[in-house]
Amino acid sequence: MVIACTRDCYDTCIFDDNYKPLKSFPFLGFTCSRGNADLRRNKINRVLSPLVEGKETSLEDSVKYISKIIKETPKDKIIHVEYDGNQGLLTWYYPARLWNLLGTLSIDYSICASEGHEAIKAHYGSSFGALPEEFEKYDSVVFWGSESAVSFIHGWKLLQSKYKITVDVRISETARRSDKYYLVRPGSDGFLAVGVMKRIFARGVSADILDDEATLREYVNSYTWDEIESVTGLNRKYIEELGDLYYDRRPLTIIGFALGRTYYGGDAVSLISLIPALLGLRRGFFYSNSQGWGIDFSYLRGLHLSKPARIAPMGKVGEEVEKGNIKVIFAWNSNPIHSLPNSDRIVEAIKEGRLTLIMHDPFINESVKLSNVVIPSPTFLEKRDVVYSYWHDYLVYNEPICEPKGVDEIRLMRLIAKQLGISHPLIEEDEWKAVDYAIRRTGVSLEELVKNKVVKVKRYYDGFQKVKVNPLPRLKEPPVGEYLVFSSHPNHTNSQFNEIYDRPKPIVYNCCYEGEGYLESDFGKIRVIFKISERVPKGVYYMYKSGLFDLDDKPVNSIVNNAINEYGGTPQINFTKVRAILK
Ligand SMILES: Nc1nc2c(c(=O)[nH]1)N[C@H]1C(S)=C(S)[C@@H](COP(=O)(O)OP(=O)(O)OC[C@H]3O[C@@H](n4cnc5c(=O)[nH]c(N)nc54)[C@H](O)[C@@H]3O)O[C@H]1N2
Ligand SMILES: Nc1nc2c(c(=O)[nH]1)N[C@H]1C(S)=C(S)[C@@H](COP(=O)(O)OP(=O)(O)OC[C@H]3O[C@@H](n4cnc5c(=O)[nH]c(N)nc54)[C@H](O)[C@@H]3O)O[C@H]1N2
Ligand code: SF4
Ligand SMILES: [Mo]
């Protein structure tokens, strides 16, 4: 028996039935502070009973209550919000069938990685990049907008002994532990990528994997060095040095998710992804490999037979609630008050009775505490599921090792459907048959998976023969200002693990201010603790992306930028223009 950790994490560690991380590649017998505490955590801070308006209720009555709300609300005013709290196919994807069948609003799953997926796909046909085994072949690596030393510990382990270069907006942990780092202004990476390619062209290229090298040459040469220097804040000398490092060493490029969340971040990812191709490296980058396995996520979500009323960008859910476009949120696998932009609008609407929040979660989190209805869910240690990774190519058949608490996502979905009087093949299809069908293109069958528990994907989807140079973006200069950016916390995955490691305080690392005060943006104001750090340059404010609540318990996301990027609709959370006000 094995168990894969299903949290939103590059590594997707696989454990044996004693819950020890596998010694095999790429897990290498170690895990993170959360993986080490999972068995202990599983008994703490759990939702143990359904709650309706704060009162313990039977499952039957809570399902009746939920069904009544669904019946009484126009379907285009109900939205389901689910993200990657558990990456299992049956936990995250399959239960969306009920909502797609009802024709409610759906989110666009854009909060994290969709921007870069679309940007890379435009050139490569697929965002599928280097596999763990391929990481080992390089003698150097560029971490571009990636805090791998914290967010991706097994990838970091494989790359630790290489020559390491980091591009960031502050001296991150990854930058500190690298051989070289380059700091740019937030949102200016597209310009840096152009500078790097200018240098590579100047050195002379002979790659034949780009379909139109001449157009790329003309494009990068249409930008002047003055322009590139002034936008990035980096001297030409350093940009050329980075170009030379690329040219001489042909490194692997780790393209971090943070880039998709900055100013026109898709443009930056698009151009960065072309650098390895210009050097003749076929899949010389890694972003997220989730699209490389060919898993049919749409089938799991029932989109072959149903359709949402409308797809709402995740960045705009707060705003849509404020405008009255959304009256009911049904959330699982997600902590919307913590993680969605402008979630203070959601809090206000619940308090004023304009919105009903229904939460299905194993743990008592900030959204659960505020919600009108709560249903307990089992954790990944308590249910069967099929799990994939967005880095390595193993599929895993997870089996329970702890006594289940609560009702799983599929059973809850079917109970609600029954109460609503809905019978439909989408609800009734055996979920294991659906999984077997959804993984057909991986070359792995469910039968094989059940038998062997961990199986390598057999076919890969790596796109075009030639890398397409077009479309090339017309880069926009990021407006001058001071910007708030976020990154991963070593002891938390997003909002999770406050039961074991206390919720992080709202500390804003910056160059110049110390003490309590306010951080203000066009969207609102939060009360925070400023801390001076030599690792953060002027014009940058840095917070962890965990424990996103201010000193008054107001969501930090009250103030983040909800502007939507152009490729995958990811909000510009990392490009929030702020002002610091000391008390
Ligand atoms: N321990 C831990 N691991 C995690 C997570 C966690 O919460 N905790 N979360 C998981 C999830 S959901 C995700 S999305 C990934 C995220 O992990 P990564 O892909 O590593 O991305 P981030 O941590 O968002 O940010 C990485 C770096 O980008 C920098 N940055 C911000 N804006 C810019 C910019 O404009 N240009 C450049 N060049 N750099 C910029 C930040 O300073 C930061 O150091 O990690 C996953 N892994
Ligand atoms: N300000 C700011 N906001 C951000 C970010 C940022 O950098 N800055 N990052 C964004 C990013 S990259 C991401 S990915 C999102 C993440 O935002 P969320 O999706 O809110 O992330 P998690 O904290 O992982 O929340 C997952 C929830 O799923 C629950 N869960 C876990 N397992 C199960 C299960 O089996 N069943 C059910 N029903 N629930 C389960 C957990 O208990 C937890 O409450 O946040 C985004 N928000
Ligand atoms: S959170 Fe990431 S590193 Fe930690 S156990 Fe899970 S997959 Fe492994
Ligand atoms: Mo994420």
Side-chain angles (χ1 to χ4, degrees):
M1 204 159 80
V2 294
I3 305 101
C5 169
T6 58
R7 272 187 293 277
D8 187 349
C9 179
Y10 290 98
D11 307 51
T12 314
C13 297
I14 308 179
F15 298 82
D16 64 19
D17 49 6
N18 292 315
Y19 216 66
K20 296 274 175 275
L22 298 188
K23 295 208 167 69
S24 58
F25 183 87
F27 314 106
L28 310 173
F30 75 98
T31 185
C32 69
S33 60
R34 283 139 291 146
N36 284 324
D38 260 314
L39 289 182
R40 190 154 56 91
R41 180 202 187 209
N42 207 51
K43 303 190 189 98
I44 311 172
N45 194 32
R46 296 290 298 271
V47 180
L48 294 173
S49 152
L51 298 169
V52 170
E53 305 298 352
K55 289 201 186 64
E56 276 192 25
T57 318
S58 67
L59 179 60
E60 197 187 342
D61 285 347
S62 57
V63 166
K64 278 188 189 153
Y65 193 82
I66 295 170
S67 305
K68 187 165 169 285
I69 293 168
I70 296 172
K71 271 194 188 144
E72 287 171 354
T73 313
K75 299 301 166 277
D76 64 355
K77 295 224 171 337
I78 302 175
I79 191 163
H80 57 104
V81 174
E82 75 281 16
Y83 205 69
D84 199 352
N86 177 327
Q87 199 162 267
L89 298 185
L90 294 180
T91 303
W92 184 6
Y93 303 91
Y94 191 90
R97 285 184 169 203
L98 170 67
W99 306 98
N100 288 329
L101 188 60
L102 285 168
T104 65
L105 302 183
S106 166
I107 52 162
D108 61 351
Y109 308 104
S110 63
I111 197 77
C112 181
S114 61
E115 186 68 12
H117 275 297
E118 294 308 314
I120 298 171
K121 232 162 75 183
H123 297 300
Y124 287 80
S126 160
S127 50
F128 178 47
L131 287 167
E133 288 80 356
E134 290 163 336
F135 276 38
E136 300 217 291
K137 293 181 194 153
Y138 291 85
D139 83 338
S140 55
V141 52
V142 177
F143 298 98
W144 201 320
S146 159
E147 178 60 306
S148 288
V150 175
S151 64
F152 184 17
I153 56 170
H154 288 85
W156 174 257
K157 179 83 190 167
L158 298 187
L159 297 168
Q160 208 173 5
S161 61
K162 321 259 177 203
Y163 187 87
K164 300 181 291 303
I165 303 154
T166 293
V167 180
D168 209 292
V169 295
R170 58 173 185 117
I171 307 172
S172 63
E173 213 26 50
T174 308
R176 195 177 66 80
R177 298 201 227 165
S178 289
D179 299 280
K180 281 256 175 213
Y181 62 77
Y182 300 89
L183 301 191
V184 291
R185 295 216 173 97
S188 70
D189 300 83
F191 286 85
L192 179 61
V194 166
V196 166
M197 288 194 274
K198 267 170 99 78
R199 179 65 179 172
I200 294 171
F201 273 117
R203 294 279 305 266
V205 289
S206 56
D208 60 354
I209 63 172
L210 287 172
D211 71 345
D212 188 357
E213 203 181 282
T215 297
L216 185 59
R217 181 193 296 269
E218 203 179 302
Y219 170 82
V220 299
N221 288 331
S222 73
Y223 292 88
T224 64
W225 279 111
D226 281 354
E227 197 176 1
I228 297 169
E229 282 186 315
S230 93
V231 175
T232 59
L234 253 185
N235 192 297
R236 174 173 176 177
K237 184 175 85 178
Y238 294 112
I239 301 174
E240 290 191 329
E241 182 182 86
L242 177 58
D244 285 339
L245 284 169
Y246 259 107
Y247 192 83
D248 295 331
R249 291 184 170 268
R250 321 252 145 171
L252 171 70
T253 305
I254 308 289
I255 308 176
F257 293 147
L259 291 170
R261 294 191 276 278
T262 188
Y263 187 69
Y264 291 94
D267 289 348
V269 175
S270 156
L271 292 171
I272 295 166
S273 80
L274 286 175
I275 300 174
L278 183 59
L279 293 166
L281 305 167
R282 244 213 91 71
R283 283 190 287 109
F285 64 87
F286 168 73
Y287 179 71
S288 157
N289 286 341
S290 58
Q291 297 183 353
W293 325 135
I295 300 172
D296 193 343
F297 299 116
S298 295
Y299 183 81
L300 288 167
R301 288 187 173 127
L303 294 169
H304 53 299
L305 292 178
S306 64
K307 202 167 144 248
R310 179 167 62 84
I311 293 175
M314 287 179 90
K316 300 287 183 191
V317 170
E319 199 174 285
E320 293 224 30
V321 165
E322 186 178 26
K323 287 183 183 154
N325 295 343
I326 295 172
K327 296 286 182 197
V328 176
I329 295 180
F330 184 100
W332 75 97
N333 254 353
S334 149
N335 185 351
I337 305 291
H338 176 275
S339 309
L340 284 184
N342 315 142
S343 51
D344 58 323
R345 278 65 162 179
I346 302 177
V347 175
E348 269 162 36
I350 298 169
K351 288 190 174 157
E352 289 168 14
R354 290 182 280 116
L355 177 82
T356 305
L357 175 63
I358 305 168
M359 285 292 302
H360 187 204
D361 205 289
F363 294 97
I364 303 172
N365 64 27
E366 295 85 358
S367 301
V368 163
K369 282 185 192 157
L370 263 178
S371 60
N372 305 82
V373 185
V374 186
I375 307 287
S377 147
T379 63
F380 71 96
L381 299 170
E382 301 170 349
K383 59 192 165 194
R384 269 169 226 282
D385 211 330
V386 168
V387 185
Y388 70 94
S389 166
Y390 49 84
W391 175 42
H392 63 70
D393 52 353
Y394 289 106
L395 293 182
V396 185
Y397 181 66
N398 260 19
E399 290 177 279
I401 54 161
C402 298
E403 197 58 38
K405 295 184 173 73
V407 49
D408 70 55
E409 288 65 23
I410 297 185
R411 192 164 149 239
L412 179 62
M413 174 193 87
R414 292 201 176 118
L415 286 172
I416 298 171
K418 190 166 169 214
Q419 187 65 37
L420 291 171
I422 297 174
S423 73
H424 189 279
L426 277 185
I427 306 291
E428 279 131 37
E429 184 183 18
D430 180 85
E431 60 270 29
W432 294 104
K433 273 200 177 141
V435 165
D436 195 29
Y437 184 76
I439 63 173
R440 69 195 179 281
R441 296 191 294 234
T442 65
V444 179
S445 69
L446 182 65
E447 193 187 351
E448 191 182 356
L449 204 51
V450 170
K451 189 164 154 250
N452 297 326
K453 318 299 182 197
V454 183
V455 183
K456 245 181 189 311
V457 168
K458 292 179 185 141
R459 272 183 260 134
Y460 303 97
Y461 292 81
D462 67 348
F464 307 128
Q465 283 305 311
K466 287 253 181 191
V467 177
K468 289 186 193 303
V469 164
N470 285 302
L472 288 168
R474 183 65 1 225
L475 289 178
K476 288 137 210 105
E477 184 176 335
V480 175
E482 308 205 307
Y483 290 95
L484 173 63
V485 303
F486 298 88
S487 182
S488 304
H489 190 290
N491 286 337
H492 297 263
T493 303
N494 299 319
S495 71
Q496 301 191 62
F497 263 78
N498 296 339
E499 311 70 17
I500 300 287
Y501 308 110
D502 291 345
R503 188 165 90 181
K505 291 198 165 62
I507 298 175
V508 180
Y509 298 92
N510 73 102
C511 66
C512 311
Y513 303 101
E514 186 81 26
E516 260 182 56
Y518 292 93
L519 203 58
E520 193 181 36
S521 79
D522 291 349
F523 294 85
K525 196 157 108 177
I526 51 172
R527 197 159 70 86
V528 296
I529 305 159
F530 290 103
K531 228 181 191 137
I532 291 176
S533 163
E534 286 170 357
R535 290 163 60 177
V536 182
K538 194 166 168 24
V540 176
Y541 295 84
Y542 166 70
M543 292 182 88
Y544 284 119
K545 72 181 177 81
S546 297
L548 292 173
F549 290 90
D550 82 349
L551 291 169
D552 303 316
D553 234 13
K554 189 173 167 189
V556 165
N557 277 357
S558 306
I559 70 161
V560 297
N561 186 0
N562 72 5
I564 297 298
N565 271 330
E566 289 181 339
Y567 293 72
T570 301
Q572 295 177 1
I573 293 171
N574 277 338
F575 200 74
T576 299
K577 193 166 182 172
V578 286
R579 293 168 289 280
I581 306 164
L582 272 190
K583 261 184 148 174

